[in-house]
Structure formats: structure tokens, C-alpha cells
């Protein structure tokens, strides 16, 4: 078992959390904790699990693994893909900090990825990435402090 040391380029928002303050307006609890009806920082689900469950439910996917129907994981994967956003963590596996992204490029340790900056600049408008992020944030009830979505280069060690 080795360590991952990845560079991750995401188009989206830095949400913070983990070892840094949350970077959303809803972090207005007494100690800066999130005040959201779907997330309990002391609960069993971590932020990503809770956020994905909430987004899937808002999109009409209410099936659970416990329902016992064959093919659940395939349907869940398809429902997550249809959301058009995903959550990526950075910093480390033990101390994650969160992003919500409509596009993710990961470069693993020892790899090299050629980036076409012109293509990256067109990607958000040509693929409606801003609209996907806006819809997800609205469903989650999150208001990032970052003024607009952007390309964020983060690192991950875990």
C-alpha cells in the first residue's frame, strides 16, 4: 500500500471544511459549523456521503442498497453521473478539505497530463458547467464565499 500524491484540477468551488474553516455562508454555527438540515457534523455520514444522498434525493433517486433490488449500484452510479457534479477532497485523506466540481482532472504521482488551456477555457460555457454547479448548490442550500466557479488546482496526499 503506497501513498497517493496527486494534483487535481477542478472546475467548481472550494468549500473548505476539515482542517480549515468552511468557506460557505452557512458555516454560521457557534464554532463555525455548518447549519444545514441535511448534514450533522457529529453524525455517521461524512460531508460527501451526506451531500450526495441529499442531491440524489432532490433529483428523485430515493432507492437504497437496503431495498435489495438487483442492479442498485449501477442505477446509483448513473444517478450520480446525471447530477453533473461531484465532490473532490484535497489536502489529505486524514484531513480532507472539500470542493464541489463540475469537471475534474486528476494527475497521479509519476504521471504527466498535457492540458489544452484554450479547451479548458471553453469547457464551462460549452458544457453548461456553471448551471450544473448552481443547481447543485441550490439543492444543497450552500452559498460559497468564492464569488464564481473557477479552475482550482489542489493537491492530495493520502
Amino acid at each position: 500500500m503506497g501513498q497517493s500524491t496527486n494534483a487535481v484540477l477542478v472546475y467548481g468551488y472550494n468549500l473548505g471544511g476539515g482542517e480549515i474553516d468552511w468557506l460557505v455562508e452557512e458555516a454560521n454555527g457557534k464554532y463555525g459549523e455548518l447549519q444545514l438540515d441535511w448534514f450533522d457534523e457529529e453524525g455517521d455520514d461524512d460531508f460527501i456521503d451526506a451531500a450526495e444522498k441529499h442531491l440524489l434525493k432532490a433529483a428523485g433517486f430515493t432507492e437504497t442498497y437496503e431495498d435489495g433490488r438487483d442492479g442498485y449500484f449501477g442505477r446509483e452510479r448513473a444517478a450520480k453521473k446525471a447530477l453533473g457534479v461531484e465532490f473532490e477532497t484535497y489536502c489529505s485523506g486524514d484531513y480532507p478539505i472539500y470542493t464541489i466540481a463540475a469537471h475534474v482532472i486528476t494527475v497521479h504521482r509519476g504521471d504527466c497530463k498535457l492540458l489544452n488551456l484554450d479547451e479548458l477555457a471553453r469547457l464551462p460555457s460549452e458544457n453548461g458547467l456553471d448551471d450544473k454547479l448552481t443547481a447543485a448548490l441550490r439543492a444543497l442550500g450552500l452559498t460559497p464565499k468564492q464569488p464564481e466557479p473557477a479552475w482550482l488546482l489542489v493537491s492530495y496526499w493520502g
Side-chain angles (χ1 to χ4, degrees):
M1 183 175 187
Q3 288 289 339
S4 298
T5 51
N6 302 330
V8 185
L9 181 65
V10 301
Y11 183 78
Y13 290 93
N14 185 4
L15 302 177
E19 287 302 295
I20 67 170
D21 291 339
W22 286 102
L23 302 175
V24 295
E25 298 298 330
E26 293 73 22
N28 52 16
K30 183 176 180 179
Y31 301 105
E33 68 272 15
L34 289 176
Q35 300 292 298
L36 299 165
D37 61 358
W38 55 264
F39 181 58
D40 177 5
E41 291 194 57
E42 303 299 320
D44 292 335
D45 285 337
D46 68 7
F47 175 75
I48 292 176
D49 289 338
E52 286 178 344
K53 285 178 184 176
H54 187 76
L55 283 177
L56 288 170
K57 184 177 178 183
F61 185 82
T62 58
E63 182 180 358
T64 67
Y65 176 72
E66 292 77 22
D67 293 338
R69 289 180 265 170
D70 286 339
Y72 166 78
F73 292 110
R75 289 187 299 278
E76 181 190 46
R77 257 189 316 279
K80 284 181 180 180
K81 185 176 180 180
L83 294 173
V85 297
E86 60 187 286
F87 297 91
E88 280 291 324
T89 60
Y90 67 99
C91 189
S92 74
D94 292 333
Y95 302 100
I97 302 171
Y98 304 96
T99 68
I100 185 171
H103 193 81
V104 177
I105 298 170
T106 302
V107 181
H108 301 278
R109 180 176 58 193
D111 286 345
C112 178
K113 174 83 173 169
L114 179 64
L115 299 176
N116 181 323
L117 297 182
D118 291 332
E119 183 180 297
L120 287 176
R122 290 189 309 270
L123 194 66
S125 61
E126 290 178 357
N127 292 285
L129 301 186
D130 291 3
D131 293 339
K132 292 173 185 178
L133 288 162
T134 298
L137 290 169
R138 187 175 298 124
L140 292 167
L142 287 174
T143 311
K145 293 181 180 179
Q146 182 182 317
E148 60 189 27
W151 288 104
L152 308 169
L153 180 61
V154 299
S155 65
Y156 178 81
W157 181 77

